[in-house]
Amino acid sequence: MPDPWWKASVIYQVYPRSFCDSNGDGIGDLPGILTRLDYLKQLGVDVIWLSPVYKSPNVDNGYDISDYQQIMPEFGTLADWEELLREIHGRGMKLVMDLVVNHTSDQHLWFQQSRQSKDNPYRDYYIWRQGKDGREPNNWAAHFGGSAWTRDALTGEYYLHLFTPQQPDLNWENPHLRREIYTMMRWWLDKGIDGFRMDVINMLSKVEGLPDAPILDKRPYQYAGTHFINGPRLFEYLEEMKREVLSRYDIMTVGETPDVHTRDGIRFTHPQTGVMSMLFQFEHMHLDAGPDDPSARRSIHPWRLSDLKRVMSRWQNDLYEKGWNSQYLENHDQPRSVSRFGDDGKYRNESAKLLAIFYFMLQGTPYIYQGQELGMTNVKFESIDEYRDVESLNMYHELVEEMGIKKQEALNLLHAKSRDNARTPMQWDGSPNAGFSTGQPWINVNPNYPEINVEQALSDPDSIYYTYQRLIQLRKEHPAIVHGRYKLLLPKHPQVYAFWREMEEERLLVLLNFSHEPAEFELPDELRSHYLELLIGNYPPIAEIDSANLCLRPYEARVISIEG
Ligand code: ISL
Ligand code: CA
């Protein structure tokens, strides 16, 4: 069996609202993306994943879909989308669409019907329950604040929504609903798309009886992950989806799966019995949050290199030959990686390159989030009025109004953790609004755009962009990067993350100084008798590696190839 194409691929995530605005209304759109395809081709990516472009009232920027088979008018038309697909394919790239089927928008026709009456044919497409003693049916918290239940006046019953009240959860227990979803998926696949990124796909199945969540703190509603993550019928649903839809096409799928462990990862992505190509795990996204913070957004903890090594090594080792990893450091829900795991001041250039080299050298398919290839940073909006993300706004108001936390403190949390850090407009050049739009952007640009932008990056041979370009190329040239076995080195070193990637003919040694101090360490003895070649680094190379002690400069990264 030949290897599936998605193992060697590199995927680029576009968040359409913030990528490129073609008509000056301040909102990125499909014709805008079209004008930037050559840029993506030049970077070398194989696949473009579009965050949702479907019709939506945009309570959660398209993750609340009101029609799965229409394009959001602000983004363009279905004809624009078809042209985009053709142009992507014409350049030898592929297109992956977002699949959001844990919930719809409350404006979706199904929900509009469902709420009408208890015997409406669509009633059972959603999860309705009676209140308990004049309150919600249980104590579950919604991800973006408040209860996971809202009472609807029309019938007096409550409906479940794990996210905002405008995102009612679909009832996957209903076979008619499941069939409609599969038909919709085939409709897109028959248009020729190359796969799906599956939003919170491991939340589809809720435990029988919807019991209360364990009480962890004094807040009125509690995180109920144990009652809907990897629920009892999840695998059954996904096997059905595989049988009815996925297995009939040569596509890739990536599941967004919060709170999974490696044993789930193997189950989901196993080459024979799995139900998706790969998944997004979140363990490394929780390293800078406290233990009592399931959202990972309400606390700022310094992360530790030893934890990063532990978490990543576990995923590398446990999935080896049993599943397939995705590698990512950013997406539209996460702060910028250089601000989070690197240094977005003095060593921005070095640390952004180190991070790129780090995750590209791990086993698994790498994902680049728009702007990451420029080393775009977090933004520090000075006022809450500049924030747009529903999660950030809800959290801020809860912290300030209900919990009495100082405004500045709440803002500091947003500076570090808000999803809007990733959603400021893509920085194309030094002109007003960073070349993103000729109008007023829907969210303010990061004021650092005159220094950090595409035009600058393309004109500087030493830019972060070219490190990404080179890494993508190396992935095509060295099977050890795609398939080599991972072996952690120097597990206790406080500054250096070092590992091997090994295949029969080639062994790669990856050395990363994750600190702003020089780091010394001892090279394994065996290295001295071999021919060493520096494959990629982020500093001017040192002529020869000849001593037993090696010193890495601040945030220095080196990948050394060893032959023979
Ligand atoms: O687990 C998390 C943080 O570490 C959450 O961010 C979680 O992954 C997220 O809330 C789920 O995200 C997805 O579904 C949401 C949508 O708002 C996000 O943009 C999307 O990526 C609801 O559809
Ligand atoms: Ca526009």
Side-chain angles (χ1 to χ4, degrees):
M1 276 280 279
D3 252 341
W5 54 266
W6 38 263
K7 287 195 176 176
S9 295
V10 175
I11 297 168
Y12 188 95
Q13 182 189 356
V14 169
Y15 193 67
R17 203 172 189 80
S18 303
F19 193 62
C20 183
D21 172 22
S22 70
N23 61 353
D25 67 353
I27 298 172
D29 46 52
L30 298 178
I33 300 172
L34 195 65
T35 65
R36 303 297 182 172
L37 290 183
D38 289 329
Y39 166 76
L40 298 178
K41 184 66 190 170
Q42 188 186 346
L43 179 58
V45 299
D46 306 283
V47 182
I48 297 171
W49 149 30
L50 285 188
S51 272
V53 297
Y54 316 99
K55 195 164 177 216
S56 164
N58 285 305
V59 171
D60 190 18
N61 286 359
Y63 284 92
D64 49 326
I65 297 171
S66 54
D67 189 334
Y68 287 110
Q69 279 151 284
Q70 279 194 58
I71 299 294
M72 192 189 301
E74 298 97 303
F75 286 178
T77 62
L78 196 58
D80 292 328
W81 179 86
E82 277 167 343
E83 186 182 0
L84 184 66
L85 177 66
R86 256 195 323 275
E87 292 293 323
I88 289 173
H89 282 166
R91 285 167 177 78
M93 296 187 286
K94 295 183 191 295
L95 176 63
V96 161
M97 296 287 280
D98 224 302
L99 180 77
V100 188
V101 292
N102 174 70
H103 45 269
T104 66
S105 160
D106 63 347
Q107 302 305 308
H108 195 288
L109 181 105
W110 297 340
F111 189 74
Q112 288 302 311
Q113 286 294 322
S114 185
R115 57 187 293 247
Q116 294 306 324
S117 67
K118 291 184 189 171
D119 54 10
N120 186 284
Y122 288 93
R123 185 64 167 184
D124 196 40
Y125 272 38
Y126 295 86
I127 302 170
W128 294 94
R129 291 289 183 277
Q130 266 175 6
K132 235 192 210 159
D133 314 323
R135 287 195 59 131
E136 298 87 3
N138 67 29
N139 69 350
W140 294 11
H143 273 79
F144 301 155
S147 167
W149 297 93
T150 291
R151 186 174 174 278
D152 192 63
L154 275 181
T155 56
E157 286 194 335
Y158 291 79
Y159 63 90
L160 179 72
H161 53 86
L162 294 181
F163 295 89
T164 69
Q166 294 82 15
Q167 291 165 295
D169 276 51
L170 286 165
N171 177 21
W172 272 74
E173 294 190 4
N174 181 336
H176 300 290
L177 174 270
R178 299 207 298 276
R179 219 167 301 135
E180 290 222 47
I181 299 284
Y182 302 150
T183 306
M184 175 275 286
M185 291 172 74
R186 283 193 293 259
W187 187 80
W188 284 104
L189 288 164
D190 290 339
K191 288 190 179 296
I193 66 167
D194 303 288
F196 288 115
R197 175 269 187 190
M198 304 164 142
D199 193 62
V200 291
I201 199 70
N202 64 334
M203 300 190 186
L204 301 185
S205 168
K206 282 77 177 172
V207 301
E208 188 76 44
L210 310 177
D212 274 341
I215 293 170
L216 299 174
D217 58 31
K218 291 208 181 79
R219 289 194 286 163
Y221 306 107
Q222 299 289 316
Y223 179 67
T226 49
H227 296 340
F228 58 76
I229 296 281
N230 306 336
R233 296 187 64 188
L234 176 66
F235 213 72
E236 175 196 329
Y237 300 150
L238 295 179
E239 275 179 329
E240 184 182 71
M241 182 188 286
K242 179 180 172 183
R243 194 169 60 241
E244 297 291 321
V245 187
L246 306 174
S247 62
R248 304 179 184 189
Y249 301 84
D250 176 23
I251 54 168
M252 60 156 276
T253 50
V254 52
E256 191 211 21
T257 53
D259 293 352
V260 287
H261 299 279
T262 54
R263 60 176 178 279
D264 314 307
I266 295 168
R267 193 149 184 248
F268 286 130
T269 70
H270 189 279
Q272 277 86 44
T273 54
V275 287
M276 55 186 79
S277 315
M278 54 188 126
L279 50 71
F280 294 129
Q281 61 86 16
F282 281 82
E283 286 192 78
H284 59 314
M285 294 288 120
H286 287 251
L287 296 179
D288 58 354
D292 307 324
D293 179 13
S295 75
R297 298 200 203 279
R298 292 167 170 268
S299 53
I300 308 175
H301 279 223
W303 64 279
R304 287 194 312 232
L305 187 61
S306 55
D307 288 334
L308 186 67
K309 292 184 195 179
R310 179 175 49 77
V311 163
M312 299 319 263
S313 299
R314 183 160 10 90
W315 281 92
Q316 292 288 290
N317 294 328
D318 289 3
L319 264 61
Y320 183 67
E321 290 184 337
K322 295 201 193 102
W324 195 253
N325 284 297
S326 307
Q327 297 301 340
Y328 74 98
L329 297 176
E330 293 184 19
N331 61 41
H332 64 292
D333 293 333
Q334 300 296 336
R336 291 290 184 177
S337 57
V338 67
S339 302
R340 191 177 195 182
F341 298 110
D343 170 353
D344 62 9
K346 182 171 175 200
Y347 292 113
R348 188 184 66 89
N349 193 47
E350 291 80 3
S351 65
K353 290 177 183 172
L354 167 130
L355 290 169
I357 294 171
F358 161 56
Y359 88 109
F360 261 73
M361 287 300 144
L362 290 172
Q363 204 204 15
T365 300
Y367 288 69
I368 303 169
Y369 178 70
Q370 64 184 44
Q372 183 179 347
E373 77 279 20
L374 309 174
M376 276 179 65
T377 70
N378 281 354
V379 69
K380 290 191 164 114
F381 289 141
E382 278 167 25
S383 150
I384 189 62
D385 302 335
E386 287 182 85
Y387 283 91
R388 296 288 175 268
D389 170 27
V390 63
E391 181 186 40
S392 300
L393 296 174
N394 288 355
M395 185 176 95
Y396 178 89
H397 289 118
E398 187 191 318
L399 291 175
V400 171
E401 280 145 35
E402 289 165 34
M403 298 170 75
I405 290 184
K406 285 203 195 74
K407 285 184 177 171
Q408 191 52 51
E409 248 174 75
L411 275 179
N412 291 346
L413 256 186
L414 296 187
H415 292 164
K417 296 288 178 78
S418 170
R419 305 197 294 181
D420 280 340
N421 283 308
R423 299 177 181 186
T424 61
M426 178 73 177
Q427 294 165 201
W428 293 105
D429 57 40
S431 71
N433 301 325
F436 161 73
S437 172
T438 54
Q440 181 59 43
W442 69 277
I443 184 170
N444 284 340
V445 291
N446 190 316
N448 62 20
Y449 74 86
E451 299 92 61
I452 304 174
N453 61 62
V454 168
E455 194 176 61
Q456 186 284 326
L458 292 178
S459 68
D460 172 7
D462 193 36
S463 69
I464 298 161
Y465 171 92
Y466 288 113
T467 293
Y468 274 94
Q469 190 188 53
R470 175 96 181 109
L471 284 166
I472 295 169
Q473 223 173 351
L474 286 173
R475 192 172 174 79
K476 311 285 171 215
E477 294 162 3
H478 296 263
I481 298 178
V482 180
H483 297 288
R485 175 157 217 155
Y486 168 96
K487 221 159 78 194
L488 182 68
L489 229 80
L490 311 171
K492 298 250 151 64
H493 200 291
Q495 293 160 278
V496 176
Y497 191 159
F499 57 91
W500 286 107
R501 296 296 307 286
E502 302 181 325
M503 270 201 22
E504 305 91 50
E505 301 82 30
E506 193 180 26
R507 300 162 70 207
L508 303 174
L509 177 62
V510 183
L511 301 169
L512 309 154
N513 177 6
F514 266 89
S515 79
H516 47 259
E517 308 290 339
E520 282 197 29
F521 61 95
E522 237 175 87
L523 268 182
D525 267 351
E526 42 166 341
L527 283 187
R528 267 171 284 161
S529 53
H530 287 277
Y531 174 72
L532 309 178
E533 183 201 346
L534 182 70
L535 219 55
I536 188 168
N538 61 351
Y539 273 86
I542 295 169
E544 235 167 303
I545 305 163
D546 55 2
S547 87
N549 289 318
L550 202 69
C551 183
L552 289 174
R553 292 161 278 187
Y555 288 105
E556 181 166 8
R558 288 191 209 172
V559 180
I560 297 163
S561 161
I562 293 141
E563 282 168 49

